[in-house]
Amino acid sequence: MMFRHLVGAAVAAVFAVVGLSGAAQAGATLDAIKKKGFIQCGVNTGLAGFSVADSQGAWTGLDVDICKAIAAAVFGDANAVKYTPTNAQQRFTALTSGEVDILSRNTTWTLTRDASLGMMFTGVTYYDGQGFMVPKSAKIKSAKELKGATVCVQTGTTTELNLADFARANKLNIKPVVFESLEESKVAFFGGRCKAYTTDASGLASIRSKDAPNPDDYLILPELISKEPLGPAVRRDDVEWFTLVKWVLYALGEAEESGITSANVNEMKSSADPNIQRLLGALGDMGQKLGVDNAWAFNAIKQVGNYGEIFERNVGQKTPLHLARGLNATWKNGGLMYAMPVR
Amino acid sequence: MADQDRTIHVPPRPSPWNDPKIRAIIYQIVLIAGVVALGVFLVSNTLTNLQQRQIRTGYGFLDQEAGFFIGETLIPYEAASSYGRAFLVGLLNTLKVSVIGVVLATILGTIIGIARLSQNWIVRRLSSAYVETLRNIPLLLHLFFWYAALTNLLPDTERAANLGLNIFLSKEGLRYPWPEVEPAHIWALTALPFGIAGAVAFSKWAHARQMKTGRQIPLLWPSLAIILGVPLVVWLVGGAPAQFEIPEKTNFGHDGGAAVTPEFMALILGLVTYTASFIAEIVRAGILAVSWGQSEAAGALGLRRGPTLRLVVLPQALRVIIPPMTSQFLNLTKNSSLAVAIGYPDLVSVANTTLNQTGQAIECISLIMAVYLTVSLSIAGAMNWYNRRIALVER
């Protein structure tokens, strides 16, 4: 499996070399998407709650639902999406070479990525932070007690850098064991090779729920050592596509703020509130300004749900991940989710 | 005209198009032009595409601060060191595994190869079973097996097994005392090449003496004594410092001294046992390639089995063994890149991390390719030199 990843990275590099010049020349990404009739969406190879495929090959998860919502906005059909599972190394090459139209794969928005890799982040779908998970038997209560500890890490993220920064700042002589694949890193941690496992806190919850022999034996430490705003990214070659993706995210947030859900969206369309009418396409030409049908937000909300529904369905308290809304609540509820006005 | 009359018959020169010499040259020019054009197209297309996507290129990132830790290093390395130094650390880790792996695989493979030709039925069958089983299992599975076995079977770090002499074995690996760095140690290490040179000179002298007088002088023990004796004397003259850094217990296992991590152990075990099964077959083939008449002739001259193998069979077998053995050494070195699967920080692992942090995919992949190419060509060059040296000299 490691080998496949390596080969994948090499193939991706070759793709960049040979160049799918068509992606840039055939016109804007949005036009190409409309022509082919579906969105090619780059997702994680498997992270419970964010993007997982079931035995039928159907994808679910928070990152997957974002792609579905965009497909609903463009085509009126949330299933007009094809998925490309990417590992941490392939993902950026897959996006910039034109293999996928959008990368919705728990990817942290950083300056280097936004400015120098030929891509643009469209917004934040999950405010996360890097944390640590330890066995309860180790009797560790704080990440600052990890002096001299061995920590298992999966390569391919900003995780290693954050770990080193945290250890340098707190003078902890941490010894990392770096794995290529998520699977092997989990095997090593649950086998007892490392005292701690580090990745984004949402990932820790996901791994604990799915892979721990007994989830109750493991503790996620309270400290978050980094800011990890996760969000979808698009190529730099099409501003219209970038704008559309950005506003679908705002529409999902706006819907939650205004109390529009997949269940009541039909009634809400005849609401007296002009803001809601504009969002759902009963008033004005918001969709046409974005280059799609006026029912863009209506379709996305009806078929996928508002942001709150997406969150609760995939990673919320009723799921095995048991994640609280926290920073991901709307600004009205003390969170950071704030949708720009649709007008 | 007169000249032409003097010669008896000159065939008419063929037209340039039909001249085989000119044709050959034209073909070569066309081929080279094609290869160069392809290269130019690939490079310029890459640069255009990268520029179009606003991706920065170049190797300038190698000077920037790496910012990540590496689990085991042979040279001093900090998170504040540069990406270039991180690459060097990864390269040294790869070389460490390759050198130790090649030596151990050769020893194990030779023993098993000879054992397959043993007169003893059990030894013969056991070594056959070894070869047939191990070489037919993919190497990646070997690595997963050894790594899973080590991480699950070794004792927890809090309950590390004390093997005596302050050597500790746990899930952290093997931790043992290590001499503190003293000038005398460095002098002793510097003296080691002189000891080896001395041993070589001694064996040459012994050989010349045998040629002259016919008397054999035992070689093994005196040579070892010279190789180890010279550094030992230097160390004693330097004051014989014997301060050891002893592993100390910490919250999480032990620290200090020197360590062999489970990742390294699993990688060496996997690579050595796997490659040894191929080397065993090469050694067996080499020995069988020496005709039985040679052994019989040696017997007729009164040589016993040991000297027959050492003086008659092996020197001839080596000529058959060396070329395929070179491929196995190259395989082992390249296979060491599977280390990333089990968390050993080799070149590929470090390059992966660098790639992810900088996004410089083409640059990092090209560095990996250049390094493996250089290492492989060096090994092949050295082995080819050795092969030429031991080749049959026709007289």
Side-chain angles (χ1 to χ4, degrees):
Chain A
M1 59 194 87
M2 188 293 310
F3 213 69
R4 204 183 59 210
H5 291 174
L6 199 64
V7 170
V11 168
V14 169
F15 257 71
V17 171
V18 177
L20 293 177
S21 42
Q25 280 164 10
T29 304
L30 185 52
D31 289 344
I33 289 170
K34 283 178 180 165
K35 205 182 274 175
K36 69 183 171 185
F38 62 90
I39 294 171
Q40 194 75 43
C41 175
V43 292
N44 197 315
T45 48
L47 183 65
F50 288 84
S51 55
V52 270
D54 64 14
S55 56
Q56 316 293 314
W59 287 85
T60 53
L62 192 144
D63 286 340
V64 168
D65 279 350
I66 298 298
C67 282
K68 285 186 175 172
I70 299 165
V74 177
F75 301 110
D77 177 8
N79 291 319
V81 187
K82 288 190 181 170
Y83 300 96
T84 306
T86 55
N87 71 11
Q89 286 129 27
Q90 296 159 344
R91 54 182 166 178
F92 303 128
T93 315
L95 178 67
T96 52
S97 69
E99 201 183 331
V100 299
D101 301 315
I102 176 171
L103 187 69
S104 183
R105 188 206 173 279
N106 56 301
T107 300
T108 305
W109 185 347
T110 66
L111 186 144
T112 306
R113 289 170 177 178
D114 213 9
S116 69
L117 295 189
M119 52 195 255
M120 295 186 282
F121 282 87
T122 54
V124 178
T125 51
Y126 190 96
Y127 288 97
D128 208 344
Q130 185 174 337
F132 292 93
M133 174 161 65
V134 293
K136 278 187 183 157
S137 59
K139 306 232 175 358
I140 299 169
K141 291 280 170 283
S142 155
K144 298 202 170 137
E145 295 169 34
L146 289 170
K147 198 169 178 131
T150 313
V151 178
C152 281
V153 199
Q154 190 212 351
T155 185
T157 48
T158 43
T159 325
E160 286 167 81
L161 190 64
N162 294 334
L163 177 66
D165 286 353
F166 176 73
R168 284 161 85 183
N170 292 288
K171 300 204 168 49
L172 308 173
N173 179 26
I174 281 178
K175 288 170 273 182
V177 187
V178 182
F179 293 88
E180 163 90 15
S181 83
L182 184 65
E183 292 307 317
E184 275 308 303
S185 67
K186 291 187 292 202
V187 169
F189 173 67
F190 291 117
R193 168 69 180 105
C194 302
K195 271 292 151 284
Y197 188 96
T198 184
T199 188
D200 294 348
S202 61
L204 292 177
S206 164
I207 289 167
R208 183 171 67 171
S209 75
K210 203 171 110 238
D211 302 292
N214 179 7
D216 291 337
D217 289 348
Y218 293 88
L219 178 72
I220 295 173
L221 297 178
E223 289 98 339
L224 294 184
I225 65 170
S226 70
K227 297 196 282 187
E228 305 287 340
L230 311 180
V234 296
R235 253 188 319 284
R236 276 189 172 225
D237 63 356
D238 185 351
V239 182
E240 277 75 35
W241 173 233
F242 167 75
T243 311
L244 174 68
V245 171
K246 186 166 64 174
W247 280 96
V248 171
L249 300 186
Y250 288 144
L252 298 177
E254 179 68 39
E256 187 184 11
E257 287 177 24
S258 316
I260 310 169
T261 66
S262 54
N264 69 11
V265 65
N266 282 335
E267 298 91 79
M268 289 299 246
K269 202 169 179 180
S270 45
S271 152
D273 185 343
N275 279 318
I276 292 176
Q277 286 187 1
R278 268 194 292 269
L279 177 68
L280 298 180
L283 188 71
D285 58 351
M286 297 300 152
Q288 277 161 28
K289 282 179 180 143
L290 290 170
V292 291
D293 191 81
N294 254 347
W296 62 290
F298 175 85
N299 288 332
I301 296 162
K302 183 165 176 60
Q303 296 183 25
V304 186
N306 66 32
Y307 177 76
E309 288 177 87
I310 293 174
F311 186 100
E312 293 300 340
R313 178 166 66 230
N314 294 303
V315 298
Q317 294 287 6
K318 292 202 183 92
T319 67
L321 272 72
H322 302 300
L323 289 171
R325 282 298 289 269
L327 290 176
N328 296 296
T330 64
W331 59 283
K332 290 176 176 170
N333 293 328
L336 292 176
M337 287 295 173
Y338 182 102
M340 306 302 147
V342 179
R343 64 171 183 253
Chain B
M1 283 298 156
D3 287 347
Q4 237 182 22
D5 290 338
R6 235 188 290 150
T7 55
I8 301 158
H9 173 68
V10 174
R13 254 185 98 78
S15 71
W17 189 238
N18 281 331
D19 189 335
K21 271 190 195 158
I22 294 177
R23 262 200 197 186
I25 291 171
I26 290 175
Y27 286 147
Q28 305 233 15
I29 289 174
V30 169
L31 182 69
I32 289 174
V35 170
V36 170
L38 185 68
V40 168
F41 166 74
L42 284 179
V43 170
S44 73
N45 197 34
T46 306
L47 291 178
T48 319
N49 279 315
L50 288 175
Q51 205 166 22
Q52 226 166 42
R53 296 190 182 118
Q54 292 157 30
I55 301 174
R56 297 197 188 155
T57 50
Y59 292 90
F61 69 93
L62 287 175
D63 293 330
Q64 293 163 13
E65 181 186 295
F68 60 90
F69 289 132
I70 298 179
E72 40 187 313
T73 59
L74 285 175
I75 51 172
Y77 170 86
E78 301 277 323
S81 305
S82 68
Y83 281 118
R85 190 155 181 100
F87 263 96
L88 191 61
V89 169
L91 171 61
L92 288 175
N93 281 342
T94 292
L95 290 179
K96 178 169 113 181
V97 160
S98 304
V99 170
I100 296 176
V102 160
V103 171
L104 292 180
T106 309
I107 295 172
L108 183 64
T110 309
I111 292 172
I112 291 170
I114 293 175
R116 280 202 80 174
L117 297 167
S118 164
Q119 313 276 342
N120 184 320
W121 188 86
I122 294 180
V123 170
R124 202 166 62 233
R125 290 289 145 183
L126 275 180
S127 44
S128 297
Y130 174 95
V131 168
E132 291 306 334
T133 320
L134 271 81
R135 73 169 173 181
N136 288 318
I137 296 172
L139 178 57
L140 195 56
L141 287 183
H142 277 261
L143 296 182
F144 285 148
F145 168 79
W146 288 113
Y147 192 55
L150 285 176
T151 45
N152 283 305
L153 296 183
L154 290 176
D156 278 339
T157 43
E158 287 86 0
R159 289 176 289 280
N162 190 340
L163 305 180
L165 295 171
N166 283 313
I167 301 173
F168 297 94
L169 187 66
S170 72
K171 283 195 206 283
E172 264 193 336
L174 194 67
R175 219 164 236 295
Y176 46 91
W178 190 250
E180 279 170 18
V181 180
E182 299 270 352
H185 290 141
I186 295 166
W187 297 339
L189 271 183
T190 328
L192 190 64
F194 292 101
I196 294 172
V200 170
F202 172 74
S203 77
K204 280 212 167 129
W205 173 80
H207 191 70
R209 195 178 150 82
Q210 189 191 345
M211 284 295 182
K212 223 159 90 187
T213 65
R215 269 185 52 208
Q216 274 188 319
I217 297 167
L219 266 183
L220 184 67
W221 295 114
S223 303
L224 269 181
I226 295 172
I227 292 175
L228 296 178
V230 175
L232 190 71
V233 169
V234 171
W235 178 69
L236 287 173
V237 170
Q243 284 295 315
F244 278 84
E245 189 188 319
I246 290 170
E248 279 171 29
K249 190 137 177 54
T250 65
N251 292 350
F252 312 105
H254 289 79
D255 211 349
V260 181
T261 61
E263 288 80 31
F264 181 77
M265 284 192 241
L267 187 60
I268 283 288
L269 279 169
L271 285 174
V272 166
T273 50
Y274 178 76
T275 313
S277 63
F278 290 94
I279 290 181
E281 286 299 89
I282 293 170
V283 168
R284 185 170 73 108
I287 292 174
L288 288 178
V290 179
S291 81
W292 180 237
Q294 298 274 335
S295 302
E296 283 182 331
L301 286 172
L303 288 179
R304 280 190 306 258
R305 257 186 80 75
T308 304
L309 196 67
R310 197 155 42 84
L311 297 172
V312 177
V313 178
L314 275 185
Q316 300 186 71
L318 270 183
R319 289 205 305 273
V320 183
I321 290 173
I322 293 301
M325 197 80 116
T326 309
S327 314
Q328 289 309 319
F329 291 172
L330 294 178
N331 275 349
L332 189 144
T333 308
K334 288 178 287 178
N335 285 342
S336 72
S337 63
L338 290 171
V340 283
I342 54 166
Y344 177 75
D346 77 329
L347 178 76
V348 176
S349 166
V350 171
N352 272 348
T353 302
T354 308
L355 193 162
N356 295 320
Q357 280 183 201
T358 61
Q360 307 288 356
I362 294 174
E363 289 83 352
C364 289
I365 301 272
S366 72
L367 276 177
I368 298 178
M369 281 164 43
V371 165
Y372 277 103
L373 191 64
T374 312
V375 171
S376 295
L377 288 179
S378 311
I379 295 175
M383 292 299 282
N384 287 340
W385 169 82
Y386 184 62
N387 191 31
R388 273 198 303 280
R389 235 189 69 122
I390 59 159
L392 192 61
V393 184
E394 303 273 356
R395 272 186 278 239

